Amino acid sequence: MQMQAVDGEVHADLTLDGRMEGAPGLAHGGAIAAALDDLFGGVLVLLETPAVTARLNVEYRLPVPLHTPLHLVARCTATEGRKLHMAGTMSAGEAIVAEASAMFVRVEIAHFEASGVPVPDAWRSWGGAARG
Ligand SMILES: CCCCCCCCCCCC(=O)SCCNC(=O)CCNC(=O)[C@H](O)C(C)(C)COP(=O)(O)OP(=O)(O)OC[C@H]1O[C@@H](n2cnc3c(N)ncnc32)[C@H](O)[C@@H]1OP(=O)(O)O
């Protein structure tokens, strides 16, 4: 999912296809949650802060049709020590189809390196959990 930073928010456009189908013709709720969680990951890049999702809440307002352009927006609403509070929406046209809030917790880069897969070099210059 391609993201753009605009005035402290992260925006993305997305069209879900049959791979993300739940009920016939409609997006699976897990795909909607994953897209919003991924967008919150984009907010971390904006903040230059490595963190992970500790809690994710999604309110499904309307069924989300497949093959329909969706617009997503997310931002960090507050920080509290290592905790980052996020809010985001998914819209189809003028209608908000889903809203999400999340709590991320700042971690050190070592949290990701533990997987054994190298992290992008840029991440190393960013402050980790100790920054909170
Ligand atoms: C550079 C950019 C790159 C960008 C980086 C891009 C990364 C992509 C990430 C994309 C999003 C994901 O998919 S992330 C993948 C899914 N999530 C995960 O795998 C996370 C798994 N969970 C964990 O690793 C851990 O539980 C942590 C790191 C979240 C917390 O463990 P910890 O580090 O030991 O910290 P801990 O002391 O337990 O918690 C710190 C504070 O947060 C609170 N807290 C912790 N978990 C919760 C929770 N679920 N609900 C409420 N509160 C919680 C604690 O009460 C405490 O509050 P207080 O006592 O201080 O008040």
Side-chain angles (χ1 to χ4, degrees):
M1 191 164 67
Q2 286 226 327
M3 303 180 197
Q4 276 191 317
V6 182
D7 295 335
E9 296 181 329
V10 175
H11 291 240
D13 292 299
L14 175 70
T15 299
L16 298 173
D17 62 28
R19 294 172 296 176
M20 304 298 172
E21 188 173 52
L26 299 175
H28 195 286
I32 294 165
L36 286 158
D37 191 28
D38 198 39
L39 195 71
F40 292 143
V43 176
L44 299 179
V45 174
L46 198 63
L47 299 175
E48 300 188 351
T49 294
V52 290
T53 319
R55 191 171 60 215
L56 175 67
N57 182 65
V58 181
E59 295 179 30
Y60 298 94
R61 300 264 181 221
L62 289 170
V64 178
L66 299 176
H67 313 297
T68 297
L70 303 167
H71 187 70
L72 291 79
V73 184
R75 66 188 187 284
C76 179
T77 55
T79 62
E80 190 188 347
R82 290 175 60 203
K83 300 177 200 171
L84 306 173
H85 298 277
M86 306 279 197
T89 56
M90 175 185 284
S91 303
E94 296 297 308
I96 293 178
V97 295
E99 283 183 82
S101 59
M103 196 194 77
F104 279 64
V105 175
R106 285 183 172 131
V107 294
E108 296 296 343
I109 291 297
H111 178 98
F112 301 110
E113 291 174 327
S115 74
V117 178
V119 301
D121 284 341
W123 290 20
R124 295 177 197 289
S125 64
W126 297 343
R131 221 172 80 163

